[in-house]
DNA sequence: ATGCTTGTGCGAGAATAGTCGAACGATATG
DNA sequence: CATATCGTTCGACTATTCTCGCACAAGCAT
């Protein structure tokens, strides 16, 4: 058995504001986060069905390295989820405020 | 009387999350905002006494254009203040959360 | 094992952002 | 008016980020 894909994540205490802010400063990533917030854990592809895979990996990696999302391998796909609790612990209210504020200007963006 | 320097600011309703997030993703600008939060209105130079003026203008302009600060000419200097109320109206709690979270990792940074 | 699918790493190119010196316009002071 | 001081603009350079094609490795099915 070979070691499956393993992803490095920052410790909760190491999640830094500037990194998080930067991660959430891109509309594309912001949309991803918003979708994650609505759906819970999703297949990475759902975050950008039309994007080239290498571009998708780029953004999911950035979100992961900044501490915003948790990534795990599931077979050959990878599943992504928000680190809600960790973010809430570290920066209470931040995520909700940002998502609420963004949603306001992007109504009806990721509807089921 | 020539028209004094006039600065363009986005309307409160036009302040957008991605821009704000980006503005606050730079440690330097974050520090400026933190200092503004403590001091109220300050001379622009106080935001970066050691920086080249053109660099200072660059960052204050970015903060202004993103809707984070309000700038007004005062003689030949310029005075900067946080758009606290506007930001609170638009994204309630955001500023406090961010500053609190940043302060935590940068204790004792702009002490009087 | 062969073939298919999926994510990742690498590299190149384009776009964006940061830094800073120099020249300029505007304002205050002598 | 002459001069000094301030902020702005411009241009150049560097650094970072974004995008994406391509090759590769890992997982699943036949």
């Amino acid at each position: 058995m070979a070691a499956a894909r393993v992803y490095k994540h920052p410790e909760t205490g190491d999640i830094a504001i500037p990194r998080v802010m930067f991660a959430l400063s891109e509309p594309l990533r912001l949309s991803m986060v918003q979708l994650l917030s609505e759906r819970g854990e999703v297949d990475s592809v759902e975050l950008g069905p039309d994007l080239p895979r290498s571009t998708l990996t780029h953004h999911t990696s950035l979100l992961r390295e900044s501490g915003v999302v948790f990534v795990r391998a599931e077979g050959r796909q990878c599943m992504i989820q928000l680190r809600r609790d960790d973010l809430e612990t570290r920066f209470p209210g931040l995520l909700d405020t940002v998502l609420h504020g963004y949603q306001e200007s992007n109504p009806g963006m990721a509807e089921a």
Side-chain angles (χ1 to χ4, degrees), chain A:
Chain A
M1 70 172 190
R5 277 173 300 165
V6 168
Y7 298 94
K8 265 186 39 176
H9 297 81
E11 301 285 331
T12 303
D14 291 337
I15 301 179
I17 277 280
R19 299 279 298 258
V20 173
M21 299 303 272
F22 184 75
L24 301 182
S25 70
E26 279 267 330
L28 180 55
R29 287 191 293 263
L30 215 33
S31 301
M32 291 175 173
V33 169
Q34 189 170 46
L35 193 145
L36 282 167
S37 167
E38 297 165 358
R39 300 265 185 93
E41 189 177 48
V42 305
D43 184 319
S44 68
V45 166
E46 292 194 56
L47 296 181
D50 303 332
L51 276 74
R53 291 300 150 82
S54 49
T55 302
L56 188 57
T57 298
H58 171 72
H59 289 293
T60 55
S61 297
L62 199 151
L63 286 169
R64 170 176 54 81
E65 287 161 12
S66 65
V68 175
V69 304
F70 179 79
V71 182
R72 69 183 177 85
E74 174 73 24
R76 48 191 158 174
Q77 294 126 313
C78 68
M79 304 297 288
I80 322 265
Q81 57 184 315
L82 265 182
R83 292 180 64 175
R84 259 196 190 289
D85 294 346
D86 292 337
L87 289 171
E88 193 60 25
T89 297
R90 192 114 180 77
F91 313 119
L94 178 64
L95 198 60
D96 286 340
T97 302
V98 171
L99 287 181
H100 184 270
Y102 186 58
Q103 197 172 358
E104 187 176 292
S105 44
N106 275 39
M109 154 255 141
E111 312 241 313

